[in-house]
Amino acid sequence: METYSIKNLTFTYPKQSIPALDNISLSINQGEFITICGKSGCGKSTFLRSLNLLETPTEGSIIFEGTDITDKKVKAEKEEVSGSYAVKDGTIMIARFAFEECESLTDITIPDSVTTINLQAFQNCKNLYSVKIGNSVEEIPELAFNRCESLSKLTIGNGVKIIGYDAFYHCDSLTSVVIPDSVTMIDVK
């Protein structure tokens, strides 16, 4: 079974004319072991960061277990998000900056289908006051809810094991937090 299918992946850093990744296509099957090697600066780390959407590719697609995780729908929808919002069931990953600066977002529910929330996914959602995280997310990464100044109520699902460094940095209104027994590490660096 094909786990990853990478098609025409291109990534260019801001203010750069030469792509760090240029038209990469590759399939990785379940159970397959691969090595990515090359000289310093050739794009190895950028490629890996693109696979988990810590970097958003300029072009191309990354299909993980049959789902195009580079689908721009979640990013495009953020402009329209307001009030109460439930992430679509079936979504598996919330990309870095996916909901950044959605100032009219007030509360969000993350379903059990989501397994990954990337860092800074909800950064600067200044009016976000309530978050409910489903049971499949294992880690709340650093700065995930950075500067969500109105966040006051947080419910963390039973799957979360790690709360990253400054995951709730400048969430000064946070007064109600339910941390399940599954959490084994709160990173304070």
Side-chain angles (χ1 to χ4, degrees):
M1 177 182 165
E2 193 173 72
T3 301
Y4 272 102
S5 178
I6 295 107
K7 297 178 183 175
N8 306 316
L9 187 67
T10 299
F11 179 81
T12 305
Y13 283 100
K15 300 180 183 177
Q16 298 293 316
S17 58
I18 299 171
L21 304 174
D22 192 11
N23 201 27
I24 295 173
S25 295
L26 164 72
S27 291
I28 304 170
N29 296 314
Q30 184 175 0
E32 197 169 33
F33 181 82
I34 67 163
T35 301
I36 299 169
C37 57
K39 65 181 183 173
S40 179
C42 73
K44 300 178 300 289
S45 295
T46 302
F47 176 69
L48 293 174
R49 284 194 310 271
S50 294
L51 287 183
N52 63 14
L53 296 183
L54 291 174
E55 299 289 0
T56 304
T58 310
E59 294 178 29
S61 62
I62 302 169
I63 298 167
F64 177 71
E65 295 182 346
T67 301
D68 185 352
I69 63 173
T70 51
D71 185 353
K72 303 292 187 241
K73 287 181 185 171
V74 171
K75 275 203 151 311
E77 284 176 6
K78 86 174 189 179
E79 300 303 324
E80 302 167 21
V81 170
S82 64
S84 182
Y85 185 78
V87 174
K88 181 179 150 189
D89 195 22
T91 301
I92 58 170
M93 178 185 298
I94 298 177
R96 184 177 188 186
F97 305 126
F99 291 91
E100 180 187 33
E101 295 180 1
C102 289
E103 294 199 10
S104 56
L105 180 64
T106 57
D107 63 288
I108 191 158
T109 300
I110 299 170
D112 288 343
S113 62
V114 173
T115 58
T116 305
I117 298 173
N118 280 305
L119 69 142
Q120 297 170 309
F122 297 93
Q123 178 168 279
N124 290 323
C125 292
K126 295 185 187 291
N127 294 309
L128 182 62
Y129 68 84
S130 177
V131 173
K132 183 178 180 194
I133 299 173
N135 293 317
S136 298
V137 173
E138 290 190 9
E139 178 179 359
I140 301 172
E142 63 185 78
L143 303 173
F145 294 90
N146 181 32
R147 298 190 181 278
C148 292
E149 297 164 358
S150 298
L151 185 59
S152 62
K153 183 179 180 187
L154 174 66
T155 305
I156 299 172
N158 290 322
V160 174
K161 294 178 176 76
I162 299 169
I163 298 176
Y165 177 67
D166 283 344
F168 301 97
Y169 185 69
H170 281 290
C171 294
D172 301 329
S173 299
L174 198 52
T175 57
S176 174
V177 181
V178 177
I179 299 177
D181 292 338
S182 61
V183 173
T184 57
M185 183 172 106
I186 299 175
D187 188 354
V188 293
K189 288 192 180 177

